[in-house]
């Protein structure tokens, strides 16, 4: 077996983190940790070293059935949907407090599992998840229907009720494992639903920790079940299961399309948050030096493993070379290293297979004739590191421009005027996010409604708030996460007509 991460010299982590990572990790069903029906497990490797970290139970369709039945029972006969909204709200507030109290533990687990810098994991992923939990908890007491005046005349009364949709099957990716788990679980719970969650096999540990914290907060057993394993044996049976009422998926567009087809077989409601190739549009009045670091963060945050990553840079001609010069300085000076080293600014990629995929795109960019303007650093061969990479003078037909790379690779080109840039950014199958960099309000207000994307940022890229909907146009998905729009996705509307006229 590959060397264990905890042998030899390792960065300092808490005793609690080591104890959690090295213990047995089974499926979490009915409030208990249990082995997979087959007894099979899969190995987890630490991205900064490539060393073996731990093993986790590998679910199959039998385990999916157990988890779905548990959540079905919890919804049909359990206390959660029948609690008062204030009772559910209070429990979710407790969960938010527990997330915050365990922020260092969760962050260290996350970093060991998928590689991201521990400071980012703690201060962004975990703390924003606590805030998200509080925001969604508040919605539990604010789910209102409406009264309507019926045209049938006196003695007839109509109103609507908002009721929880039922059992939710949710699949999350490996790039923001804890944040995504909270996004899928908390809104559904606030609405009164129950959930079966399947995290990525590349990053499952913090989802299991979330399930434990939910029980500690007072969420009844069966309301949240977590099955671990791969897409074929665990994810596909979950999405096709006839007893789930809602399928919620975040991941690649290709897999999202398959899930959409499976959901249609049972007419399961579906939310799909999929891929992107998000442009950062820099107008000629922007100051290259003042925006360079934020542009770099737009693509290199989380090593580019972000669905909204600003992976396409389009700069107006007159400042094109100046922006590239400033941006290259930032990229070449980024501190790349192990996530547990607090000086690290960009960690490794999440897996060896993904590192090889990203490197294949970098080689493709060279073959396609793009100009590589960043230094090709020597990376630690033991970990899954890729050097921050910027290609200039890219054309819109290059595969590195049209396809989602999902790594620290930026493709840049210049444009002449607003009409040109709008046409070019919209000539994409994706429509998740975009950013505009300018101090000319008139131009910004002209461009914003013309961009075919679900999110448009101005003079920033990638910030997220629980109150603002998150999702895309075109092949970037269906539905929205966050905001009241997400809560609505976990509710059914029931119309009630009462005839109270004298017979």
């Amino acid at each position: 077996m590959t060397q264990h991460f905890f042998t030899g010299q390792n960065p300092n982590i808490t005793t609690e983190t080591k104890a959690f990572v090295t213990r047995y990790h089974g499926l979490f069903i009915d409030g208990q940790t249990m082995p997979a029906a087959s007894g099979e497990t899969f190995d987890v490797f630490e991205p900064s070293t490539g060393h073996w970290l731990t093993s986790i139970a590998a679910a199959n369709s039998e385990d999916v059935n157990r988890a779905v039945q548990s959540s079905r029972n919890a919804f049909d006969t359990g206390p959660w949907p029948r609690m008062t909204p204030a009772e559910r709200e209070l429990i979710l507030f407790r969960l938010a407090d527990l997330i915050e109290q365990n922020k260092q533990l969760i962050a260290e687990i996350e970093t060991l599992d998928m590689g991201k810098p521990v400071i980012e994991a703690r201060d962004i992923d975990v703390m924003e998840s606590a805030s998200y939990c509080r925001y969604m908890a508040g919605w539990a007491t604010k789910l209102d229907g409406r009264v309507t005046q019926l045209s049938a005349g006196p003695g007839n009364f109509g109103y609507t009720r908002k009721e929880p949709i039922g059992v939710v099957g949710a699949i999350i990716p490996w790039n923001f494992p804890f944040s995504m788990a909270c996004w899928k679980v908390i809104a559904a719970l606030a609405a009164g639903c129950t959930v079966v969650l399947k995290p990525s096999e590349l990053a499952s540990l913090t989802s299991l920790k979330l399930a434990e914290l939910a029980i500690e907060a007072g969420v009844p057993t069966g309301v949240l079940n977590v099955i671990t394993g791969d897409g074929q044996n665990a994810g596909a049976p979950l999405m096709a299961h006839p007893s789930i009422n809602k399928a919620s998926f975040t991941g690649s567009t290709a897999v999202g399309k398959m899930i959409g087809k499976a959901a249609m077989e049972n007419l399961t409601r579906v939310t799909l948050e999929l891929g992107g190739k998000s442009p950062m549009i820099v107008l000629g009045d922007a100051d290259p030096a003042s925006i360079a670091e934020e542009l770099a963060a737009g693509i290199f945050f989380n090593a580019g493993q972000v669905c909204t990553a600003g992976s396409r840079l389009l700069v107006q001609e007159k400042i094109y070379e100046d922006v590239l010069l400033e941006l290259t300085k930032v990229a070449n000076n980024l501190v790349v290293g192990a996530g547990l080293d607090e000086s690290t600014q960009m960690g490794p990629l999440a897996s060896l297979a993904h590192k090889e995929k990203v490197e294949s795109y970098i080689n493709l960019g060279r073959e396609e004739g793009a100009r590589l303007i960043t230094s090709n650093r020597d990376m630690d061969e033991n970990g899954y590191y890729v050097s921050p990479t910027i290609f200039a003078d890219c054309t819109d037909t290059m595969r590195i421009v049209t396809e989602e790379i999902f790594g620290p690779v930026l493709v840049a080109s210049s444009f002449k005027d607003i009409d040109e840039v709008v046409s070019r950014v919209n000539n994409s199958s994706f429509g998740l996010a975009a950013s505009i960099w300018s101090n000319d309000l008139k131009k910004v207000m002209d461009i914003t409604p013309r961009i075919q994307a679900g999110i448009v940022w101005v003079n920033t890229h990638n910030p997220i708030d629980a109150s603002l909907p998150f999702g895309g146009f075109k092949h970037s998905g269906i539905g929205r996460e966050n905001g009241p729009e997400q809560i609505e996705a976990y509710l059914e509307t029931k119309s009630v007509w009462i005839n109270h006229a004298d017979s």
Side-chain angles (χ1 to χ4, degrees):
M1 180 176 286
T2 304
Q3 183 181 7
H4 197 298
F5 174 78
F6 291 107
T7 61
Q9 299 297 317
N10 295 298
N12 183 40
I13 60 170
T14 63
T15 302
E16 189 178 11
T17 298
K18 183 176 180 181
F20 179 88
V21 173
T22 56
R23 77 185 197 194
Y24 172 75
H25 297 290
L27 314 175
F28 193 90
I29 301 175
D30 266 337
Q32 300 179 3
T33 297
M34 58 183 66
S38 66
E40 293 185 2
T41 63
F42 60 91
D43 291 330
V44 177
F45 297 90
E46 198 281 322
S48 72
T49 62
H51 292 171
W52 180 78
L53 186 66
T54 190
S55 295
I56 303 177
N60 61 20
S61 58
E62 183 177 347
D63 302 302
V64 171
N65 287 334
R66 283 193 294 167
V68 172
Q69 189 59 53
S70 172
S71 287
R72 183 82 264 162
N73 292 340
F75 184 79
D76 290 344
T77 63
W80 187 251
R82 292 155 191 86
M83 287 182 179
T84 67
E87 288 172 326
R88 287 200 300 271
E89 179 185 57
L90 181 59
I91 289 172
L92 293 178
F93 277 135
R94 289 185 193 137
L95 178 56
D97 291 342
L98 288 170
I99 290 171
E100 192 166 318
Q101 291 164 18
N102 288 272
K103 62 184 180 182
Q104 187 65 28
L105 169 64
I106 297 169
E108 289 180 359
I109 296 169
E110 194 87 310
T111 296
L112 289 170
D113 206 10
M114 66 78 55
K116 68 175 55 189
V118 69
I119 293 177
E120 288 181 8
R122 182 187 65 225
D123 296 347
I124 299 176
D125 296 28
V126 180
M127 292 305 294
E128 288 190 0
S129 293
S131 295
Y132 170 88
C133 190
R134 292 188 179 102
Y135 173 85
M136 286 299 172
W139 271 108
T141 56
K142 300 169 185 66
L143 303 179
D144 299 325
R146 63 184 177 89
V147 175
T148 184
Q149 297 295 321
L150 300 175
S151 297
N156 291 276
F157 173 65
Y159 67 95
T160 62
R161 288 173 49 86
K162 295 293 186 179
E163 298 181 354
I165 200 167
V167 178
V168 176
I171 297 181
I172 59 172
W174 44 260
N175 57 333
F176 291 93
F178 190 73
S179 297
M180 292 293 100
C182 289
W183 278 24
K184 297 300 184 190
V185 169
I186 306 303
L189 265 55
C193 299
T194 60
V195 182
V196 178
L197 175 69
K198 194 207 87 69
S200 167
E201 65 271 29
L202 296 180
S204 301
L205 293 175
T206 53
S207 290
L208 294 169
K209 183 62 183 177
L210 176 64
E212 293 179 2
L213 293 178
I215 294 293
E216 186 178 346
V219 175
T221 58
V223 171
L224 173 58
N225 295 297
V226 179
I227 54 170
T228 50
D230 63 22
Q232 179 179 353
N233 294 295
L238 176 61
M239 293 292 98
H241 204 287
S243 290
I244 67 169
N245 306 103
K246 167 80 177 182
S248 183
F249 171 78
T250 296
S252 72
T253 297
V255 175
K257 289 179 179 179
M258 291 190 287
I259 288 172
K261 291 177 182 177
M264 285 304 298
E265 289 295 318
N266 299 313
L267 291 181
T268 304
R269 276 61 170 164
V270 64
T271 295
L272 303 173
E273 198 275 285
L274 308 176
K277 191 72 176 181
S278 300
M280 298 189 291
I281 304 165
V282 181
L283 301 188
D285 68 285
D287 176 23
S290 67
I291 66 172
E293 289 192 4
E294 290 195 61
L295 291 174
I299 178 59
F300 300 127
F301 171 61
N302 203 36
Q305 300 168 124
V306 184
C307 57
T308 56
S311 52
R312 294 177 67 194
L313 177 67
L314 297 101
V315 184
Q316 203 151 18
E317 284 179 341
K318 66 179 181 179
I319 61 168
Y320 176 63
E321 291 296 341
D322 291 337
V323 168
L324 292 182
L325 178 63
E326 296 294 336
L327 194 50
T328 303
K329 291 177 186 176
V330 176
N332 287 339
N333 286 290
L334 279 177
V335 178
V336 181
L340 288 172
D341 183 342
E342 294 200 355
S343 67
T344 291
Q345 295 173 299
M346 193 182 93
L349 302 190
S351 70
L352 177 59
H354 189 56
K355 172 192 174 183
E356 291 173 346
K357 174 190 171 185
V358 172
E359 288 177 336
S360 71
Y361 271 107
I362 294 173
N363 292 333
L364 177 63
R366 293 190 181 100
E367 293 169 7
E368 289 183 312
R371 176 165 57 107
L372 180 63
I373 61 174
T374 44
S375 58
N376 188 14
R377 304 193 217 174
D378 291 330
M379 296 283 106
D380 184 347
E381 294 182 357
N382 295 314
Y384 310 144
Y385 297 98
V386 172
S387 181
T389 302
I390 301 174
F391 284 108
D393 306 341
C394 299
T395 63
D396 291 350
T397 58
M398 292 179 176
R399 285 180 57 198
I400 59 169
V401 174
T402 60
E403 298 177 14
E404 184 177 35
I405 299 174
F406 217 65
V409 181
L410 178 66
V411 296
S413 61
S414 64
F415 68 90
K416 293 182 179 180
D417 55 42
I418 289 176
D419 287 342
E420 177 196 341
V421 75
V422 168
S423 175
R424 288 173 59 193
V425 300
N426 287 341
N427 186 27
S428 170
S429 61
F430 297 112
L432 184 53
S435 60
I436 305 167
W437 301 76
S438 173
N439 293 311
D440 189 326
L441 182 61
K442 185 178 183 302
K443 290 180 180 178
V444 168
M445 297 302 287
D446 175 30
I447 295 172
T448 299
R450 299 170 65 186
I451 299 297
Q452 296 171 4
I455 307 162
V456 176
W457 293 294
V458 178
N459 295 326
T460 187
H461 197 99
N462 274 334
I464 294 171
D465 190 276
S467 67
L468 201 61
F470 183 98
F473 294 3
K474 298 188 282 189
H475 287 193
S476 288
I478 298 171
R480 294 293 182 268
E481 310 277 5
N482 295 352
E485 289 83 355
Q486 183 177 17
I487 285 286
E488 187 68 29
Y490 293 108
L491 298 169
E492 289 280 24
T493 301
K494 178 180 287 182
S495 297
V496 182
W497 182 315
I498 300 174
N499 182 347
H500 59 87
D502 293 336
S503 57

